[in-house]
Amino acid sequence: IGNLRVEATIRGDPDLKPEGMRSLELAHQLERGRFKTKVVGFAYWLDHLITNSVATSGGASLNDFSVQFAFVNRGQARAWGGEAGLEAPLGRRATGFVNYSYQELAGDMDRQAAAFGTPHHKVNGGLRFRSGGLTANSSWNWVSRTLWLNNSLAGSVYQEVPGYNQVTLHLGYG
């Protein structure tokens, strides 16, 4: 674009505070032979989130452009959720499993993060089989919809990514 001159300046902020995090997690796991359960709950809080602010201005001519960046504290965010899982024998050679997890985010989240803390729900389950040297596994995963930030020159908009399923099959011998 000809002789375009761009000048970028990063300004310091003497009042910038470090980000802080507090977290809490409670978990319980039980194992009785091949039977297993787990339950987990969590919460965390982020304070003094740091983000950048951008101020742009023109220059002395059409070929001059200047940008100023500064890092500033934006606020706080919090998250909470949990997970539950079960694994159980299905005969001597097979095992079945299922897991569910939930997550919720709120507060001053970075725009690059998924909107509204989505996806909230995730489920997976499957079967494992072993006999001699033969192994076979199948699993199913489902993730609920999410809203993701789509950046373009025309602007930034949240775009829905539908929930999806994934099936994995594995067969091995060894």
Side-chain angles (χ1 to χ4, degrees):
I1 310 179
N3 293 325
L4 178 64
R5 186 178 78 81
V6 177
E7 179 180 299
T9 306
I10 299 175
R11 292 183 291 118
D13 182 353
D15 297 323
L16 190 65
K17 297 178 179 95
E19 290 183 333
M21 180 176 175
R22 297 174 318 235
S23 63
L24 172 68
E25 182 172 312
L26 299 172
H28 176 70
Q29 186 168 330
L30 172 71
E31 291 190 29
R32 295 279 190 254
R34 291 174 48 212
F35 181 82
K36 301 174 186 174
T37 63
K38 68 177 174 183
V39 178
V40 178
F42 70 88
Y44 66 82
W45 301 265
L46 300 167
D47 296 316
H48 310 298
L49 293 174
I50 297 174
T51 188
N52 62 326
S53 66
V54 179
T56 60
S57 62
S61 70
L62 292 176
N63 291 336
D64 288 337
F65 188 75
S66 64
V67 179
Q68 286 190 2
F69 294 91
F71 293 98
V72 296
N73 292 110
R74 181 169 66 198
Q76 61 185 9
R78 58 196 176 281
W80 60 93
E83 181 176 338
L86 170 69
E87 184 173 319
L90 303 172
R92 283 187 321 121
R93 296 184 177 110
T95 303
F97 66 92
V98 63
N99 297 289
Y100 170 77
S101 64
Y102 178 81
Q103 172 180 276
E104 184 79 35
L105 302 174
D108 299 315
M109 300 304 295
D110 188 304
R111 286 184 47 87
Q112 294 298 321
F116 312 111
T118 59
H120 295 294
H121 308 277
K122 297 178 188 174
V123 178
N124 69 28
L127 299 171
R128 296 183 188 107
F129 175 82
R130 177 181 291 276
S131 180
L134 178 67
T135 59
N137 300 310
S138 65
S139 65
W140 164 75
N141 297 280
W142 172 77
V143 176
S144 65
R145 78 176 183 97
T146 190
L147 298 174
W148 198 256
L149 187 62
N150 186 8
N151 291 312
S152 70
L153 293 175
S156 299
V157 296
Y158 283 106
Q159 180 177 10
E160 181 173 336
V161 178
Y164 62 89
N165 290 285
Q166 175 185 4
V167 175
T168 304
L169 302 171
H170 173 264
L171 183 63
Y173 187 82

